[in-house]
Amino acid sequence: MNTAMIRNVMMATDGVKPLGERLTDGLQVFIIGIVAVFGVLAVLWGVLALFKIFFYDLPEKKKQEAAKKALENTPAPVIADAPAENAPAAEDDTQLIAVITAAIAAYTAESGKSALPFRVVSYKRLKGANGWNGADENETI
Amino acid sequence: MLESIGNFLESTGIAKLFGLGSNTIEDWSWLKTIIMLVISFALVYLAIVKKFEPLLLLPIAIGMMLTNLPGGGLFHLDFFIQEHIDFGQVLHDGGLLDLLYLGVKLGIYPSLIFIGIGAMTDFTPLISNPKSLLIGAGAQLGVFVAFFLALASGFFTAPEAAAIGIIGGADGPTAILVTKTLAPKLLGAIAIAAYSYMALIPMIQPPFMKLFTTDKERKIKMTALRPVSQLEKILFPIVVTCVVGLIIPDALPLIGCLMFGNLLNVCGVCDRLSKTAQNELMNIVTIFLGITVGATASADNFLDIQTILIIVCGLAAFCVSTCGGLLTAKVMNIITGGKINPLIGSAGVSAVPMAARVSQKVGQEYDPSNFLLMHAMGPNVAGVIGSAVAAGVFLSWDWASML
């Protein structure tokens, strides 16, 4: 940059404002601009927060209350001979074992690993990372 | 016979390039033209081989090539940089690209592109997590810093500096709309800088993302987003248009069209229009926009120190915008007690969806089971709204008082 160019940058020549004035003008636009952008988007944030209250929180609350009322209005179930807590648990286990058996059978048939008959006698839920969810997330992404 | 051959030879582009047959050989103008043609070839290479935003960069490169081939008369920038355009002159004496350029000059193409972008954009992550809007606002910091730098340099007037600053919004159509209004002479350089840097986001952003975040912060897993109802999706574009329109009316050509396109998509009864906006309309306008913007990059107004400064300020704008988004996300992470991964901050610059993909990729480098993509889409689409609002601020400013 030669001397003339530097002078042009620093001082008012040929209609160019001096550096000080330019910086003041620039700062004014900078501050008002940033405030305006944050202001408008903050207003939108507020509006969307109202969306959540009116279209998500309140309907959810109503749903829960309705479910609670429906539960209260339902007559108490007749107590069977077998203990009430055990009956559904046993039924769930049977269903779950059937599903696990079918999954293993499908996997072994597909991969040709074993043609031997088998029977699921017990199962245990593993702690830690949920493989099924992980697989689902991977596919979605 | 010889006279006819002579006339023909004088009418060739080669004769015009070197000023043969006339006494007005301008110093080095032929060299400038050749340099511009080489630059256009380089852009064609970047678009086709390197795949740098090819849908826009290729038409821009070809527009640049067409306008710099001597004698074609396809485009005359002089027609458009006057205060009042003589439309009669454009219609009578203009070439093909002059006529197409009217769509840029009148602000038609950027708005039509925004209808397509709106139809393609899913605002659900933003509705679900509206805090993202603040990150989108923080990522506009580069717009105003670059404006300040360009103005301070003394090489640009205040409106020109504003047009340069908007490169930091990382949004091509917004940059074009602002530049065609405030600095039409710089349109070619600014559009090329904006689209080139958008293509380079995967290279520009990661160093800053790593610089401004700690190892612990990069591994933060964010909670799942809440489901958003159809009613909310329909109300969102209408409410945003009204709110922004009432505060900054000059942002309406962009925000109004963006939200109109989105409404076409989410309302569920305009599928045909939505598909047209996303595909045919968007593609046709992209061709016209690209080729005419490229045509403004003629040797006379492209090869000068201003172009170099635009490229420097544009890069500064992108970097500062990235940092602004990251720092805003970092502050929000502190306020919320560690619930926000600051890596999503860099997605606050528009560039949908590339910036969000960069957040996802960097996040997975540190924890492969961390999925930030949908969380980053919130700030990403908020950035589109933020840059349109910043453009509205520049368009509504009384620049006459600063000249």
Side-chain angles (χ1 to χ4, degrees), chain B residues 66-89:
Chain B
L66 290 175
T67 201
N68 283 292
L69 283 169
L74 285 170
F75 184 70
H76 304 84
L77 188 60
D78 306 346
F79 291 175
F80 300 100
I81 52 176
Q82 305 152 13
E83 197 173 339
H84 298 288
I85 301 170
D86 182 352
F87 288 101
Q89 187 188 24

Side-chain angles (χ1 to χ4, degrees), chain A residues 1-47:
Chain A
M1 195 183 280
N2 58 35
T3 320
M5 284 170 95
I6 292 170
R7 196 185 324 122
N8 197 29
V9 171
M10 301 297 291
M11 295 173 64
T13 54
D14 301 332
V16 178
K17 281 186 173 184
L19 182 65
E21 272 187 50
R22 285 204 308 273
L23 293 183
T24 313
D25 288 347
L27 205 62
Q28 195 183 341
V29 178
F30 181 95
I31 293 168
I32 294 175
I34 280 283
V35 169
V37 172
F38 266 96
V40 172
L41 295 192
V43 170
L44 286 178
W45 177 22
V47 173

